[in-house]
Amino acid sequence: MKTGRYAVGLMSGTSMDGIDAALVQIRGKPERPRVQLEAFGAFPYPAVTHEALLDVASGKPATAGEISKLNYQVGELFARAALAICRRGRIETTRLYVIGSHGQTIFHQGPKGKRGSRGYPASTLQIGEPAVIAERTRAAVVADFRAADLAAGGQGAPLVPVVDYLLLRDRRRGSIALNLGGIANITAIPANADMDEVFGFDTGPANMVIDGLAAHLTRGRMNYDTGGKWASRGKVIESLLAKMLREPFFACSPPKSAGREQFGDDFLTAHFLSQKKTRPENLIRTATELTARSVAQAINQFVLPRGSFHRLIISGGGAHNLFLLERLRALLPSLTFHSSTDFGLPVDAKEAIAFALLADRTLHGLPGNLPAVTGARRFVVLGKIVRP
């Protein structure tokens, strides 16, 4: 069998807990790829790096020098992750066609974003210096994927939908791909859809609020609610939930994107940390219900009225939260539920796989955004190429 193109995808999301690395083999034409996962690993950040990233992303003061230093430190860590996953997959980096590095987002504000009464221009910043990755691995690197879409008037996110389209489209059934990372995002793929018929957007928080709350309530002993067991013992604080669901983001029509700017520490403090005499399990339950209801609300309001959709394909860390999945099933009874693992995309590896494929498209001069998803004026080739 003819060997395909080896590529590595590197991803670190809004949880900022580490780097996901996927080594894949891509066969076929880049317009219709077939992908095989060769190795996957998650590489935690050192505690000091994790803390520094959270501080910067939360808006704490930092000098240009401190951000520059962090950029190169993270670049070294991304390079180590790429080297480690190639060793795990027993592939020399000289055989790599490309490395796709999403980098670590420390700021993201789409075109519709505002802070207070003062409008801010759209901008995005991912760190993890790609020149360092290219030098250490001796492989071509594509990085800074969001910038081109943002320059074309888009949200710069989500970017995985083009990969959802390539790998999950079905001729007879409409599919909704739901990724439950720090932020939840969906890709709606009508049956037998062309690329320009696919749409999607961020729905709001997935694990971000739950994880942040768990860490606060346990003073760092727990970073997430394992399996949703904690939430399952609590009751929803309906008044608090109703207040959160009145946040303007949820009513805003797509395209839209979200991050720590909307649902990070400020959101947690405003809605949860002031609840001094409330049982912890009720707070976790309410945070989990916020995710479930905001996802279901978005699907019911913005997706199901636009066509016939049959199945929900779930990926991301939230796919392990059994209580969250139970709530989603109750709220979305018309859809059949599936794991992305059933389609050859392990739930924890899917986003890293996606950036390997996006980098492959970039080197072939193919667009990586979907204007119907991001709101960009046109299709654009994503990323900046750095060669060793």
Side-chain angles (χ1 to χ4, degrees), residues 115-164:
R115 284 188 168 184
S117 60
R118 196 177 148 203
Y120 275 68
S123 66
T124 189
L125 182 59
Q126 287 73 49
I127 61 173
E129 181 52 53
V132 172
I133 304 171
E135 177 63 25
R136 302 293 179 264
T137 62
R138 308 306 298 163
V141 177
V142 179
D144 204 9
F145 286 88
R146 295 189 183 195
D149 182 82
L150 212 68
Q155 294 281 328
L159 298 179
V160 174
V162 71
V163 176
D164 289 333

Side-chain angles (χ1 to χ4, degrees), residues 61-349:
T63 67
E66 288 168 337
I67 294 174
S68 179
K69 180 181 177 181
L70 196 57
N71 178 42
Y72 277 78
Q73 287 177 340
V74 173
E76 293 284 0
L77 294 170
F78 270 66
R80 290 179 198 173
L83 292 167
I85 206 62
C86 286
R87 288 193 298 270
R88 190 171 299 181
R90 299 181 180 180
I91 294 294
E92 296 290 335
T93 57
T94 53
R95 296 180 64 188
L96 290 179
Y97 179 66
V98 69
I99 295 173
S101 175
H102 175 273
Q104 179 63 69
T105 300
I106 59 171
F107 184 82
H108 181 79
Q109 190 75 66
K112 294 180 181 178
K114 289 188 177 182
R115 284 188 168 184
S117 60
R118 196 177 148 203
Y120 275 68
S123 66
T124 189
L125 182 59
Q126 287 73 49
I127 61 173
E129 181 52 53
V132 172
I133 304 171
E135 177 63 25
R136 302 293 179 264
T137 62
R138 308 306 298 163
V141 177
V142 179
D144 204 9
F145 286 88
R146 295 189 183 195
D149 182 82
L150 212 68
Q155 294 281 328
L159 298 179
V160 174
V162 71
V163 176
D164 289 333
Y165 166 77
L166 292 170
L167 301 182
L168 298 175
R169 180 179 61 151
D170 188 272
R171 294 187 65 182
R172 294 174 295 173
R173 290 169 293 182
S175 304
I176 303 170
L178 168 64
N179 183 67
L180 296 170
I183 294 296
N185 54 70
I186 58 176
T187 307
I189 314 166
N192 202 31
D194 291 327
M195 188 175 285
D196 59 3
E197 296 176 295
V198 178
F199 60 99
F201 52 95
D202 288 350
T203 67
N207 305 315
M208 180 179 289
V209 176
I210 302 169
D211 293 353
L213 187 57
H216 175 81
L217 292 173
T218 64
R219 298 186 180 182
R221 294 191 304 275
M222 289 174 55
N223 293 316
Y224 54 91
D225 178 16
T226 305
K229 293 179 180 178
W230 200 358
S232 69
R233 299 193 297 267
K235 295 181 180 180
V236 176
I237 307 167
E238 291 290 350
S239 58
L240 175 58
L241 179 63
K243 180 182 177 183
M244 291 188 291
L245 287 172
R246 288 195 293 269
E247 289 282 335
F249 177 86
F250 296 118
C252 182
S253 298
K256 56 182 177 178
S257 60
R260 286 190 174 276
E261 293 72 27
Q262 291 81 18
F263 299 107
D265 288 347
D266 290 347
F267 183 88
L268 198 66
T269 299
H271 296 290
F272 287 97
L273 303 190
S274 59
Q275 307 285 326
K276 301 296 184 183
K277 296 183 180 180
T278 306
R279 295 173 67 89
E281 60 267 33
N282 293 345
L283 293 174
I284 291 288
R285 174 72 169 86
T286 304
T288 303
E289 191 69 11
L290 173 65
T291 294
R293 289 203 205 175
S294 59
V295 168
Q297 176 178 295
I299 290 174
N300 284 320
Q301 184 175 358
F302 299 122
V303 179
L304 296 184
R306 294 182 60 174
S308 179
F309 294 92
H310 307 84
R311 60 187 188 179
L312 188 70
I313 303 171
I314 301 174
S315 62
H320 300 294
N321 188 324
L322 301 182
F323 183 72
L324 174 58
L325 298 188
E326 179 184 315
R327 290 298 303 133
L328 286 169
R329 285 190 179 94
L331 293 165
L332 296 165
S334 67
L335 299 173
T336 61
F337 278 57
H338 305 266
S339 164
S340 66
T341 304
D342 301 335
F343 299 84
L345 299 169
V347 293
D348 294 320

Side-chain angles (χ1 to χ4, degrees), residues 353-367:
I353 292 171
F355 280 93
L357 283 169
L358 285 170
D360 183 68
R361 289 181 67 82
T362 296
L363 288 195
H364 284 94
L366 296 172

Side-chain angles (χ1 to χ4, degrees), residues 8-82:
V8 166
L10 301 171
M11 173 70 193
S12 184
T14 50
S15 63
M16 297 187 174
D17 52 4
I19 302 159
D20 291 339
L23 171 66
V24 301
Q25 189 174 170
I26 305 170
R27 291 190 174 93
K29 296 180 179 180
E31 299 92 337
R32 292 187 177 180
R34 301 186 306 277
V35 62
Q36 177 178 317
L37 179 64
E38 301 288 341
F40 172 75
F43 302 90
Y45 283 132
V48 64
T49 304
H50 176 63
E51 185 177 349
L53 288 169
L54 286 175
D55 284 349
V56 171
S58 298
K60 292 184 179 179
T63 67
E66 288 168 337
I67 294 174
S68 179
K69 180 181 177 181
L70 196 57
N71 178 42
Y72 277 78
Q73 287 177 340
V74 173
E76 293 284 0
L77 294 170
F78 270 66
R80 290 179 198 173

